[in-house]
Amino acid sequence: MDKPRKDTLLLAAGVLGAFGAGLAAGRSIARAAGPGTTKEGLPRASLLDTLALGLEVFAPLVAQGVIIRRPPMVALAERLDLDRRAVQRMQKLRDKYGRGPLMLPLPIRQQAVVLDPGHAKRVLDESPEPFSPASTEKRAALAHFEPQGVLLSTGAQRSERRRFNEAALDTVNPMHRMAAGFLPLVEEEAAAMLAAARDKGSLDWDTWSQAWYRMFRRVVLGNSAADDHELQAMITRLRGAANWAGFHPTMRAKRERFLARIQEYLDRAEAGSLAGYMAHIPRNSTTEPRQQVPQWLFAFDAAVIASFRALALLDSHPQATGRVRAEIAERREMHPLPFLRATVLEALRLWPTTPMILRQSTARTHWEDGSMPAGTGVLIHAPFFHRDDTRLREANRFAPELWLDDSAARDWPLVPFSDGPVTCPGRNLVLMLSSAMLANVLDGRKLALAPGRRLDPARLPGTLDNYRLRFTVEE
Ligand code: HEM
């Protein structure tokens, strides 16, 4: 058996075995430890509910890979509809325990789960203090490749690195200041991708993702990085280790080689790339530009996944495809393509690529029903808020209109890019590049999913396995 397959089977067996044993033990203890409240007044989950949460919400996400996806596990999650079950489990907890935050009786740490939309908003608005994004598990994972990245930074260092990220990524502008240089790169890579798809007879994940990787290496590091597959292999390996967080030894030498390679590109500062653009941004001794870049390279994966899923959504929604075609036909230079952006945002709402938004409180916090000690881990499960069909009419259907007015901000926490002061600073850049990629691919051609893979618009799946999507391309 090949190694990845063996690893995956071992992982699956491990996760299921651990939870099975836990559940069996939990049943006997649960009689003694039912639901209640903490001494500070917040609802506390019973042991059985905590185990169910572990089994149905945490385990599928961890098994699918938090930092880099494991394709066989994503396929399994789709087959067993695991992400829909996770939302249903969260709904049951909310119905049983009320607004929360719900405290979990874990032996090793204080952990809370957010159940109320107002609380989700508060946690995100009050980040990074007192709700720090640099939670213990995030530190353990991301330190494998970016120990001084903004997400893991605190205090004055965080402020400086955040400022630098916002300046480089031109966070506030729908069209990045470098758009005129970036958009032709997207066009070139889309054309090469379509030629490769023609040769193969269809557009599959491999062809799609390789073109994207080339494109964003050129955007971030410059044209000389277009074929730097070694760099891609390094980050893939480091992210693989990060999936295991603290259970995998840190590969210091590999991490150093990877960061040194990034530094070479930053020193080269090629015109027309972010590396070149960054060279003019002021910095101080704590900025650590080379440690900010890994997050960018890593986060582009989410765009590759979401935009491929967006193609699947359009395939099963002819009316929306008509609107996309009209938008492409009217496209002028530097057009922000709002409907295509909304389509990508919908792919991210329906299948969030950051399903667990994690925080850790730095001080005691007070809530309607009680208080929470400092150091508590706080989980916002994005799919629960995005797909709660008891509260959100559009939960399980494609509704790009949610993003075309201000309803995404008004009605309910729709937070694929997080929100508040720690919100993704790459949001506009990534939406600009994704919508441009889709416009180039769809311009003058029809992409169709193979029969049997088409989505049912009335009941979109809880998980959509992007690795198995394959489109025929008709010119
Ligand atoms: C579809 C693609 C993307 C999605 C869905 C996404 C989503 C997110 C989310 C949810 C967070 C917050 C994480 C947390 O609160 O723990 C985040 C943070 C961040 N993202 Fe993105 N991201 C994407 C692409 C990008 C890209 C392409 C870049 C850079 C080029 C980027 C740069 C960052 C940075 C620097 C942070 C850390 C912000 C901070 O700690 O203040 N992201 N992203």
Side-chain angles (χ1 to χ4, degrees):
M1 193 184 309
D2 59 292
K3 189 169 178 320
R5 243 185 117 91
K6 202 166 149 196
D7 281 355
T8 308
L9 285 177
L10 282 174
L11 178 77
V15 168
L16 293 175
F19 275 100
L23 205 59
R27 279 213 184 92
S28 54
I29 304 165
R31 268 173 252 122
T37 52
T38 62
K39 64 181 187 310
E40 293 101 347
L42 290 178
R44 191 192 57 224
S46 70
L47 258 180
L48 216 52
D49 283 331
T50 306
L51 285 166
L53 186 86
L55 191 59
E56 290 184 344
V57 180
F58 286 104
L61 293 179
V62 172
Q64 285 179 73
V66 177
I67 304 297
I68 191 164
R69 295 286 184 272
R70 300 181 176 103
M73 296 310 271
V74 177
L76 187 68
E78 184 187 77
R79 214 161 35 249
L80 302 180
D81 212 8
L82 294 183
D83 291 309
R84 189 188 306 281
R85 285 188 203 197
V87 172
Q88 288 165 349
R89 172 57 55 192
M90 291 292 294
Q91 288 171 324
K92 281 185 196 150
L93 292 178
R94 187 260 326 275
D95 294 346
K96 180 166 175 183
Y97 292 99
R99 68 186 157 195
L102 179 63
M103 302 297 291
L104 304 182
L106 300 181
I108 39 168
R109 64 174 284 172
Q110 301 273 3
Q111 179 66 45
V113 179
V114 174
L115 298 175
D116 177 81
H119 292 170
K121 191 166 166 25
R122 171 182 172 192
V123 169
L124 297 178
D125 282 349
E126 296 179 19
S127 298
E129 295 282 335
F131 299 107
S132 170
S135 60
T136 308
E137 49 291 289
K138 226 185 274 173
R139 277 178 200 277
L142 298 181
H144 283 280
F145 57 92
E146 51 176 34
Q148 289 169 308
V150 60
L151 255 177
L152 302 191
S153 309
T154 54
Q157 288 186 345
R158 157 166 265 284
S159 308
E160 167 56 17
R161 292 169 188 165
R162 176 79 199 186
R163 179 203 63 77
F164 186 83
N165 269 277
E166 288 188 8
L169 303 173
D170 201 7
T171 299
V172 294
N173 277 325
M175 301 301 285
H176 193 284
R177 267 166 238 228
M178 297 287 290
F182 293 163
L183 296 178
L185 303 181
V186 180
E187 204 176 323
E188 282 172 33
E189 294 303 337
M193 173 212 301
L194 288 163
R198 228 170 278 129
D199 289 347
K200 265 192 182 175
S202 62
L203 177 61
D204 60 8
W205 171 256
D206 198 42
T207 311
W208 176 259
S209 58
Q210 290 309 319
W212 259 96
Y213 293 160
R214 259 181 76 90
M215 183 270 279
F216 70 68
R217 283 194 299 267
R218 292 175 75 188
V219 165
V220 175
L221 304 171
N223 286 331
S224 60
D227 293 315
D228 193 345
H229 301 292
E230 204 183 327
L231 178 83
Q232 202 73 36
M234 280 194 250
I235 191 167
T236 302
R237 181 73 190 90
L238 291 166
R239 286 172 63 192
N243 259 357
W244 295 96
F247 298 106
H248 195 292
T250 310
M251 297 182 287
R252 284 178 210 285
K254 194 176 270 298
R255 182 176 73 192
E256 198 38 53
R257 273 201 307 281
F258 167 65
L259 292 172
R261 177 77 68 98
I262 288 179
Q263 187 61 52
E264 283 171 29
Y265 286 111
L266 298 189
D267 292 342
R268 210 172 290 162
E270 269 182 53
S273 69
L274 279 177
Y277 183 70
M278 274 160 75
H280 306 291
I281 298 172
R283 66 210 48 208
N284 67 27
S285 58
T286 67
T287 315
E288 293 289 343
R290 72 173 190 155
Q291 294 241 6
Q292 310 315 312
V293 176
Q295 175 74 24
W296 307 354
L297 297 175
F298 144 58
F300 262 113
D301 250 18
V304 188
I305 295 172
S307 51
F308 211 40
R309 287 172 172 164
L311 283 175
L313 282 170
L314 290 173
D315 169 68
S316 58
H317 293 84
Q319 234 183 341
T321 307
R323 232 175 129 176
V324 164
R325 297 216 177 283
E327 187 168 88
I328 294 172
E330 285 163 16
R331 167 166 70 136
R332 304 168 308 279
E333 230 179 294
M334 306 296 276
H335 192 292
L337 301 168
F339 192 77
L340 273 169
R341 282 181 192 227
T343 304
V344 176
L345 282 161
E346 267 301 85
L348 285 165
R349 177 184 69 84
L350 290 160
W351 304 290
T353 47
T354 309
M356 292 196 277
I357 302 182
L358 302 171
R359 296 287 182 264
Q360 194 159 329
S361 61
T362 55
R364 175 168 292 278
T365 54
H366 299 274
W367 308 80
E368 294 90 337
D369 297 329
S371 71
M372 188 190 282
T376 302
V378 181
L379 165 71
I380 297 175
H381 183 249
F384 166 56
F385 290 106
H386 292 189
R387 299 195 69 172
D388 181 359
D389 57 356
T390 64
R391 307 277 179 103
L392 188 67
R393 223 181 31 233
E394 299 86 350
N396 293 319
R397 67 176 184 83
F398 174 53
E401 65 276 10
L402 280 173
W403 304 95
L404 293 169
D405 54 30
D406 62 354
S407 50
R410 193 183 54 226
D411 295 341
W412 195 253
L414 301 180
V415 287
F417 286 96
S418 186
D419 207 350
V422 178
T423 194
C424 174
R427 185 184 197 269
N428 268 326
L429 173 65
V430 87
L431 290 176
M432 179 186 94
L433 296 171
S434 310
S435 56
M437 183 62 97
L438 291 174
N440 279 298
V441 169
L442 290 168
D443 194 1
R445 48 191 81 72
K446 186 172 174 320
L447 266 65
L449 272 177
R453 284 296 286 156
R454 294 202 77 185
L455 304 179
D456 174 1
R459 193 178 156 82
L460 293 171
T463 313
L464 178 59
D465 179 0
N466 48 287
Y467 303 104
R468 286 193 310 128
L469 295 176
R470 180 189 292 269
F471 299 85
T472 54
V473 184
E474 291 168 30
E475 301 285 340

